[in-house]
């Protein structure tokens, strides 16, 4: 048979684990809500850790006793749970503290948004003031909130005539401005619009995406040129934005990894649990295999669960359901079709394991 049983803890997919045990459904495993205080964040983190550890412990117990064969749906639910935990941890231990540090360093300093608002109006082809706040897109609504409000027009006096004569409105004092925290809210709204443009089907999406990226650049320029916040805040913010772009997005926001976490309008996972393994492991699927390694390569439990899923896929495609024997032709085809993703998983995970071992020794 193609796969030989591997010892518990083995990371190679050419030597897979024995049957995993039952994994509970966890399509709604975590609620990643923004906690208002560090105490609430810590409590939430502890609850998430405890729930995942409970699942892992139950699985390990059944692996040790070799009781139950895991189903494709259970494989997918297990991978989703571990992936969601990794995403939760990254947000709470890397991104959130990084952003909060930058905001604290910036204090209440106000950043001039004149060029940002001008660029937004150029992109939209109309003044922001022409949008109704209650129906405007989120990005536009946030930008609208930063425009200085003209003082309310008041009566000239209290007499019969003077009460009907209004004073001229004064020009708003100072340029439109926002704190670094407020400006980051705009960036997050733009990020949501960028994601919608990337995944939409409208023929205008390519130009929309370019325009949104230009608005990103205007925000970066406004922060960089500001004289009201210290350089330490600018650098801290630039560093955490870079981390978000180069580490968080490739790991959690692209390809099969992004699809793993998406939900439908019915609040169900877009990728059904029973389909998770085939989304990552498909004929010639180099990109998907690399995405799997990027998300799960440092998670031994995820590797064991996925190994069981691949082993089950092999049985479905190669073993004759009537005789229980391997079909040589199907076996050869499987080797040809899936050789590349198996090699990528073995090579990349093996490399990651060696790097981790070397890092731990140092």
């Amino acid at each position: 048979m193609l796969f030989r049983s591997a010892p518990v803890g083995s990371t190679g997919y050419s030597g897979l684990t024995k049957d995993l045990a039952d994994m509970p459904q966890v399509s709604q495993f975590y609620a990643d809500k923004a906690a208002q205080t560090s105490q609430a964040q810590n409590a939430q983190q502890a609850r998430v850790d405890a729930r995942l550890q409970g699942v892992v412990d139950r699985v390990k117990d059944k692996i040790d006793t070799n009781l139950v064969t895991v189903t494709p749906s259970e494989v997918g639910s297990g991978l989703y749970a571990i992936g969601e935990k990794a995403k939760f941890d990254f947000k709470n231990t890397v991104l959130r503290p990084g952003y909060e540090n930058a905001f604290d360093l910036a204090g209440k300093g106000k950043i001039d948004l004149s060029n940002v608002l001008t660029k937004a109006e150029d992109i939209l082809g109309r003044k922001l003031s022409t949008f109704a706040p209650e129906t405007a897109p989120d990005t536009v609504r946030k930008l609208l909130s930063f425009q200085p409000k003209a003082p309310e027009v008041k009566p000239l006096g209290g007499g019969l005539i003077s009460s009907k004569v209004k004073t001229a409105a004064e020009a708003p004092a100072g340029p439109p401005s926002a704190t670094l925290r407020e400006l980051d809210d705009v960036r997050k709204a733009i990020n949501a619009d960028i994601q919608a443009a990337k995944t939409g089907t409208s023929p205008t999406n390519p130009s929309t995406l370019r325009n949104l990226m230009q608005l990103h650049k205007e925000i970066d320029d406004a922060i960089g040129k500001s004289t009201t916040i210290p350089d330490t805040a600018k650098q801290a913010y630039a560093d955490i934005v870079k981390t978000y772009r180069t580490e968080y997005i490739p790991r959690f926001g692209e390809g099969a990894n992004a699809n793993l976490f998406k939900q439908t309008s019915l609040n169900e996972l877009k990728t059904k649990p029973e389909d998770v393994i085939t989304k990552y492991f498909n004929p010639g699927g180099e990109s998907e295999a690399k995405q799997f390694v990027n998300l799960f390569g440092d998670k031994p439990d995820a590797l064991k669960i996925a190994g069981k899923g691949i082993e089950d896929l092999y049985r479905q495609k190669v073993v004759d359901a009537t005789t229980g024997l391997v079909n040589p032709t199907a076996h050869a085809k499987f080797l040809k079709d899936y050789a590349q993703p198996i090699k990528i998983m073995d090579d990349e995970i093996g490399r990651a394991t060696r790097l981790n071992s070397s890092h731990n020794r140092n």
Side-chain angles (χ1 to χ4, degrees), residues 1-3 310-338:
M1 185 164 177
L2 172 63
F3 298 127
I310 296 171
E311 186 180 53
D312 183 66
L313 180 66
Y314 173 81
R315 281 196 295 268
Q316 292 178 31
K317 292 182 174 294
V318 172
V319 178
D320 187 289
T322 303
T323 65
L325 300 176
V326 170
N327 182 310
T329 302
H331 173 84
K333 185 177 189 317
F334 189 94
L335 283 177
K336 180 180 179 181
D337 290 346
Y338 292 93

Side-chain angles (χ1 to χ4, degrees), residues 37 49 67 79 135 177 188 195 239 319 325 329 351 356:
T37 66
D49 289 345
L67 292 177
L79 289 175
T135 58
S177 61
K188 287 180 170 60
Q195 187 60 33
D239 288 345
V319 178
L325 300 176
T329 302
R351 182 175 63 85
N356 284 338

Side-chain angles (χ1 to χ4, degrees), residues 201-266:
T201 58
S202 168
T204 63
N205 277 335
S207 60
T208 300
L209 193 57
R210 286 194 298 271
N211 289 337
L212 290 168
M213 295 306 294
Q214 289 176 16
L215 200 52
H216 252 177
K217 183 178 183 302
E218 288 297 336
I219 290 177
D220 291 340
D221 289 346
I223 295 171
K225 294 175 181 176
S226 175
T227 59
T228 59
I229 62 173
D231 289 342
T232 52
K234 297 176 187 178
Q235 187 60 55
Y237 187 71
D239 288 345
I240 196 61
V241 167
K242 181 180 179 181
T243 297
Y244 173 81
R245 289 173 175 169
T246 62
E247 296 184 36
Y248 178 84
I249 289 299
R251 189 175 184 189
F252 303 104
E254 294 180 348
N257 291 351
N259 289 331
L260 181 66
F261 304 112
K262 287 180 181 176
Q263 294 189 335
T264 68
S265 59
L266 299 177

Side-chain angles (χ1 to χ4, degrees), residues 101-158:
N101 177 53
F103 300 152
D104 289 344
L105 290 170
K108 296 182 179 180
K110 293 283 188 174
I111 300 166
D112 188 340
L113 297 187
S114 300
N115 290 341
V116 175
L117 299 187
T118 298
K119 172 58 69 174
E121 291 179 338
D122 288 345
I123 291 171
L124 295 166
R126 58 190 280 197
K127 293 289 185 181
L128 289 171
S129 57
T130 64
F131 286 89
E134 62 273 12
T135 58
D138 193 34
T139 298
V140 173
R141 188 165 59 253
K142 288 184 182 297
L143 291 174
L144 269 171
S145 69
F146 301 125
Q147 288 191 315
K149 304 296 188 297
E152 182 181 354
V153 178
K154 298 180 179 180
L156 182 62

Side-chain angles (χ1 to χ4, degrees), residues 24-31 72-85 87 256-277 279-280 296:
Q25 295 292 335
V26 282
S27 62
Q28 299 297 322
F29 202 75
Y30 301 110
S73 179
E74 291 163 339
V75 166
S77 293
L79 289 175
Y80 170 78
I82 295 172
E84 192 71 7
K85 170 64 164 53
K87 184 179 178 183
N257 291 351
N259 289 331
L260 181 66
F261 304 112
K262 287 180 181 176
Q263 294 189 335
T264 68
S265 59
L266 299 177
N267 204 31
E268 297 175 341
L269 290 176
K270 186 174 182 180
T271 300
K272 295 179 180 179
E274 61 266 30
D275 296 333
V276 168
I277 199 68
K279 295 297 183 182
Y280 284 110
F296 295 112

